[in-house]
Amino acid sequence: MDSAPSPPGVAAGDASAPRRLDVERLRAEFPILRQRVGEKPLVYLDNASTTQKPRAVIDAIARFYSDDYANIHRGVYALSERATQAYEEARAKVRRFINAGDDREIIVVRGTTEAINLVAHSFGRLRVEPGDEIVISAMEHHSNLVPWQIACAERGAVLRVAPVNDDGELRLDMYERLLTPRTRLVAIAHVSNALGTINPVREIVARAHGANIPVLLDGAQAVAHLRVDVQAIDCDFYAFSGHKLYGPSGIGVLYGKAALLDAMPPYQSGGDMIRTVAFDKTSYNRIPYKFEAGTPHIAGAVGLGAAIDYFQSVGIEYIAAYEQELLAYATARLSEIPRLRRIGSARQKACVLSFVLDNIHPHDVATVLDNEGVAVRAGHHCAQPLMERFGVAGTVRASMALYNTREEIDVLARGLRRALEVLR
Ligand code: PMP
């Protein structure tokens, strides 16, 4: 008998039937999902762009502003100490969540974009010299491409791009060939936002480390769908955003190995990142504060901590298993739709379905879907070179989260058939 108590949102099962997510119960925790679009219930399938927020996160932010808010790291009064404690607790939650070894390795930033820019500027200045190389992949979000392009232009370095195959999987053989004695860093997505491809990150890191090259992973699309253990992966940097993990926007994380962060120069400067300041010389604070100049998004950090608590209370194993089932269901439903071409069919995929419908513009498809209450993303998904690789200007992208249902996928499929009727 399975006598362990079920986590919230997980329906109890018996020994023969594994416990499953109680999705209806979970949905009730997300106030926004109750709304209608015109006459139709909202079907929110743009989760790769951002996720909706559960009551627990909304309440934690409201409670923090109502009861505990003050500036942090400065006040000697009780309220500031409480706010500081709440902020630092959030950092500790992040550390445990991704299994980092030390709170000093968790830098609180605005999001994935800022995290990557931080590394591109700071690590770039530390390590990248004219003629050096930085390796990315063809499936990168612009956030993990443009900062490296700029860093390369500024440092006189060269950007190398590992290709993907027709299924949207990284060509590991080609990737390995790009690793040379001039490579200073590899920067690759853990999960592709446009295709859903889950990259073999342990393998990617192992091959780079074999040549003494550090690796940054863009985890924006991974943390809400996979268990992430930065020590097991052994990456040197890991970036993610709170808003894709049921938390607030404007808050995110850069994990970095302490030895690297210690050696890197500050990214931004000002208050909080200093130890002593005189007109002729300034000494910097220790990590992580060296990289947290100015008053941060304090309530955002608290909200991120609450999102992590929420996510862990549901349980990543249940979430991942449920989402994989939903992905299989959605893939089957979409394969029944005539003239639908799926873009990205990697063997390891997160809950993302990208496709084009006949030769109809993705924006027109999304507009028809919107009339049915279905929110999807249409366009290049901030991955223009990848779209070019597949010979399309853009795709329609349906991306799922723990609160989506098979019924919603059915509504999507009906909407697509309707789009074929009205737009042909
Ligand atoms: N990388 C990937 C893979 C993403 O999906 C996103 C967000 N779409 C980003 C980076 C940028 O994240 P943010 O806008 O939260 O900084």
Side-chain angles (χ1 to χ4, degrees):
M1 276 292 288
D2 185 355
S3 57
S6 296
V10 176
D14 58 33
S16 60
R19 291 178 306 190
R20 300 169 48 82
L21 282 196
D22 184 347
V23 176
E24 283 314 314
R25 196 170 139 198
L26 289 175
R27 288 179 69 80
E29 294 169 358
F30 289 78
I32 210 168
L33 297 179
R34 277 180 230 141
Q35 71 179 258
R36 299 178 89 78
V37 183
E39 298 288 289
K40 311 277 171 60
L42 168 68
V43 173
Y44 185 76
L45 293 173
D46 194 18
N47 294 287
S49 180
T50 197
T51 52
Q52 299 300 345
K53 316 306 169 201
R55 178 58 70 199
V57 169
I58 299 166
D59 287 351
I61 296 168
R63 218 172 25 246
F64 178 70
Y65 276 129
S66 303
D67 299 346
D68 296 322
Y69 181 74
N71 212 332
I72 56 167
H73 296 152
R74 320 172 184 194
V76 289
Y77 52 93
L79 196 54
S80 172
E81 279 171 13
R82 248 184 8 251
T84 303
Q85 197 181 345
Y87 182 81
E88 291 301 329
E89 265 167 25
R91 190 192 310 279
K93 282 177 191 176
V94 170
R95 192 246 309 144
R96 290 191 292 273
F97 178 57
I98 59 172
N99 192 35
D102 195 317
D103 283 2
R104 294 179 308 140
E105 299 182 314
I106 305 299
I107 298 167
V108 177
V109 292
R110 271 198 304 130
T112 310
T113 303
E114 187 175 42
I116 296 171
N117 273 276
L118 190 164
V119 180
H121 281 264
S122 175
F123 180 89
R125 270 191 283 153
L126 178 73
R127 287 277 172 86
V128 183
E129 312 241 308
D132 285 346
E133 296 171 2
I134 289 171
V135 171
I136 63 168
S137 88
M139 70 178 91
E140 298 313 313
H141 187 281
H142 296 163
S143 292
N144 197 30
L145 189 168
V146 183
W148 303 117
Q149 227 169 26
I150 292 174
C152 284
E154 284 177 0
R155 316 292 311 166
V158 182
L159 192 65
R160 300 269 182 227
V161 184
V164 299
N165 66 19
D166 290 343
D167 290 326
E169 294 168 327
L170 183 70
R171 289 280 310 268
L172 266 178
D173 52 339
M174 306 279 274
Y175 158 72
E176 189 157 28
R177 260 186 263 157
L178 291 179
L179 305 176
T180 76
R182 298 308 310 250
T183 312
R184 291 291 163 263
L185 187 82
V186 168
I188 282 187
H190 192 167
V191 174
S192 152
N193 67 307
L195 307 178
T197 308
I198 300 173
N199 279 318
V201 285
R202 286 192 198 207
E203 190 62 36
I204 288 169
V205 171
R207 293 190 192 193
H209 283 183
N212 271 323
I213 302 162
V215 178
L216 174 143
L217 294 177
D218 169 356
Q221 295 294 337
V223 284
H225 308 287
L226 309 170
R227 181 179 290 286
V228 173
D229 179 332
V230 291
Q231 292 190 79
I233 298 169
D234 199 25
C235 54
D236 301 273
F237 300 104
Y238 197 93
F240 70 92
S241 305
H243 69 96
K244 297 188 200 264
L245 182 65
Y246 310 101
S249 59
I251 196 82
V253 172
L254 172 69
Y255 157 80
K257 285 185 178 166
L260 267 171
L261 292 176
D262 267 332
M264 284 159 50
Y267 166 50
Q268 293 177 344
S269 50
D272 247 23
M273 53 74 70
I274 52 89
R275 183 166 287 138
T276 60
V277 178
F279 282 120
D280 56 347
K281 183 164 172 55
T282 291
S283 64
Y284 306 132
N285 208 339
R286 66 178 180 86
I287 58 168
Y289 310 113
K290 181 172 74 175
F291 293 108
E292 293 183 3
T295 302
H297 185 7
I298 309 168
V302 171
L304 173 59
I308 289 173
D309 285 343
Y310 173 80
F311 187 75
Q312 290 184 319
S313 76
V314 180
I316 179 65
E317 273 71 29
Y318 300 109
I319 295 168
Y322 176 72
E323 289 182 348
Q324 283 299 313
E325 258 181 57
L326 201 58
L327 177 66
Y329 182 78
T331 306
R333 287 287 76 75
L334 262 51
S335 72
E336 296 161 2
I337 303 205
R339 298 183 295 286
L340 183 145
R341 175 184 162 211
R342 210 146 51 87
I343 309 284
S345 43
R347 280 157 296 178
Q348 302 288 322
K349 262 188 77 164
C351 236
V352 172
L353 280 168
S354 239
F355 55 88
V356 288
L357 194 60
D358 211 351
N359 52 7
I360 306 170
H361 196 287
H363 282 156
D364 295 337
V365 177
T367 304
V368 172
L369 290 174
D370 183 42
N371 290 335
E372 304 296 317
V374 181
V376 293
R377 185 74 172 266
H380 54 61
H381 317 297
C382 298
Q384 277 182 334
L386 183 66
M387 297 294 113
E388 205 167 297
R389 159 70 179 77
F390 285 95
V392 293
T395 71
V396 181
R397 182 187 69 187
S399 53
M400 291 149 275
L402 58 82
Y403 40 62
N404 290 121
T405 64
R406 289 182 176 217
E407 291 71 32
E408 290 182 312
I409 300 300
D410 294 340
V411 176
L412 168 70
R414 277 200 301 276
L416 292 172
R417 288 181 192 279
R418 173 132 191 82
L420 276 176
E421 277 165 28
V422 298
L423 297 173
R424 231 171 345 141

